[in-house]
Amino acid sequence: MKYFIDSGLEFMTQDMKDYLCELATNKTDELELQYRPWRDISYAGEHDSADTQKTIEEIVGIKTAREFKRRKILLAKMYGWKAEGNKEMQIDAFMIPDEIANDLKETAGKMLGINPESIDPILQVQTQGNLLYPHCGHSRESSMFCLLAGDDAVTRWYEETEPFHMYENWRVPDASKIELAEEVQFEIGPWYTFNHQQWHSVHRPDKDVKRININLNFTETSYEELEFKLANLPKQ
């Protein structure tokens, strides 16, 4: 099993990509933010803040909150502390306008043999930091990923060296039990498969430039199934 593949497919015109990139760059107030419950934990504040810890305890309980803090400290030891210039990126997911989203769902569904109703197209915007700590997907099993802006980032995937508990409401690993497996610097334009159920992180040097991508999220198609569908597409 791989973590990503350049699919060689195209689901929309370059003009439409440019339009969506412009929306995500300058007009996010015209887009609907997709609410995700785990954001309440991820963006509650800094890992070393007592107020942050209290907020998380109110959401998940004291015992679980302490485990989350332990994992945050392990991640900070692995990737660097805020005082050393590191800051977690904020990632916002926006709903793509209905007409465009419906076209994407129908096009991708037909090309890949996937139920269009199980496809969730979103615009994803990453800002305000230089890293996204290792995590894995919640509602999405796999996706087609197309980068529109911010090609200075490296995406890394990890394998577990031994089992540990995964919390449903905050999917962040025990960093002492994972190891780097593969990394890639995505190019702007191509549609890549993306394995969201494998632990992965994002690292970038420029905190000032937005990183923008389109995701066609598949809620019922595993990454293995997506790879199989691509390998068995009708020959053109």
Side-chain angles (χ1 to χ4, degrees):
M1 181 184 69
K2 299 182 177 69
Y3 307 100
F4 71 95
I5 298 172
D6 183 341
S7 71
L9 300 178
E10 186 53 74
F11 301 103
M12 64 197 314
T13 65
Q14 185 59 50
D15 285 347
M16 189 57 68
K17 289 180 182 178
D18 293 342
Y19 171 70
L20 291 176
C21 189
E22 171 65 15
L23 281 180
T25 302
N26 299 313
K27 300 178 180 179
T28 53
D29 58 329
E30 298 180 14
L31 297 169
E32 180 182 349
L33 183 66
Q34 190 179 67
Y35 174 67
R36 296 171 170 181
W38 49 93
R39 288 171 56 89
D40 296 339
I41 298 171
S42 293
Y43 303 136
E46 299 298 334
H47 59 263
D48 52 356
S49 164
D51 289 340
T52 295
Q53 187 64 14
K54 183 178 179 180
T55 299
I56 296 174
E57 286 176 2
E58 291 172 353
I59 297 172
V60 300
I62 293 175
K63 182 178 179 180
T64 301
R66 286 176 178 170
E67 173 60 13
F68 287 179
K69 183 174 183 179
R70 186 186 74 85
R71 293 190 182 190
K72 284 185 174 183
I73 290 171
L74 284 174
L75 289 169
K77 288 179 177 178
M78 177 180 287
Y79 293 110
W81 301 84
K82 181 183 177 184
E84 299 170 338
N86 292 291
K87 180 175 175 58
E88 184 174 12
M89 282 186 265
Q90 177 158 324
I91 182 166
D92 293 318
F94 296 94
M95 308 293 287
I96 290 177
D98 286 346
E99 184 176 352
I100 302 171
N102 289 335
D103 285 345
L104 280 170
K105 290 163 71 171
E106 290 297 325
T107 300
K110 184 175 181 179
M111 291 176 70
L112 297 171
I114 293 174
N115 177 9
E117 295 308 308
S118 71
I119 302 174
D120 179 25
I122 63 167
L123 264 177
Q124 201 161 256
V125 182
Q126 296 173 4
T127 57
Q128 301 182 23
N130 64 317
L131 66 92
L132 199 60
Y133 289 112
H135 61 286
C136 68
H138 289 77
S139 59
R140 53 188 172 185
E141 293 290 322
S142 61
S143 80
M144 298 297 300
F145 170 99
C146 179
L147 187 66
L148 301 180
D151 60 352
D152 58 353
V154 172
T155 301
R156 297 173 180 168
W157 280 269
Y158 304 81
E159 293 286 349
E160 295 180 14
T161 57
E162 59 181 284
F164 53 85
H165 182 70
M166 180 170 68
Y167 293 88
E168 195 60 36
N169 54 353
W170 195 64
R171 293 192 173 187
V172 170
D174 182 329
S176 67
K177 298 176 182 177
I178 60 172
E179 62 182 9
L180 180 64
E182 188 165 353
E183 66 179 35
V184 64
Q185 188 166 348
F186 288 119
E187 297 179 5
I188 291 175
W191 288 90
Y192 299 91
T193 63
F194 199 108
N195 187 344
H196 291 278
Q197 291 305 308
Q198 197 73 28
W199 300 109
H200 57 283
S201 62
V202 180
H203 308 258
R204 59 187 311 227
D206 191 345
K207 300 178 184 179
D208 300 320
V209 178
K210 288 183 176 180
R211 185 173 188 256
I212 302 168
N213 62 273
I214 307 169
N215 273 98
L216 303 183
N217 292 330
F218 305 129
T219 60
E220 298 175 357
T221 304
S222 71
Y223 187 78
E224 291 85 351
E225 291 172 321
L226 182 58
E227 276 193 344
F228 180 82
K229 288 178 180 294
L230 282 175
N232 291 279
L233 287 177
K235 301 298 182 182
Q236 299 295 322

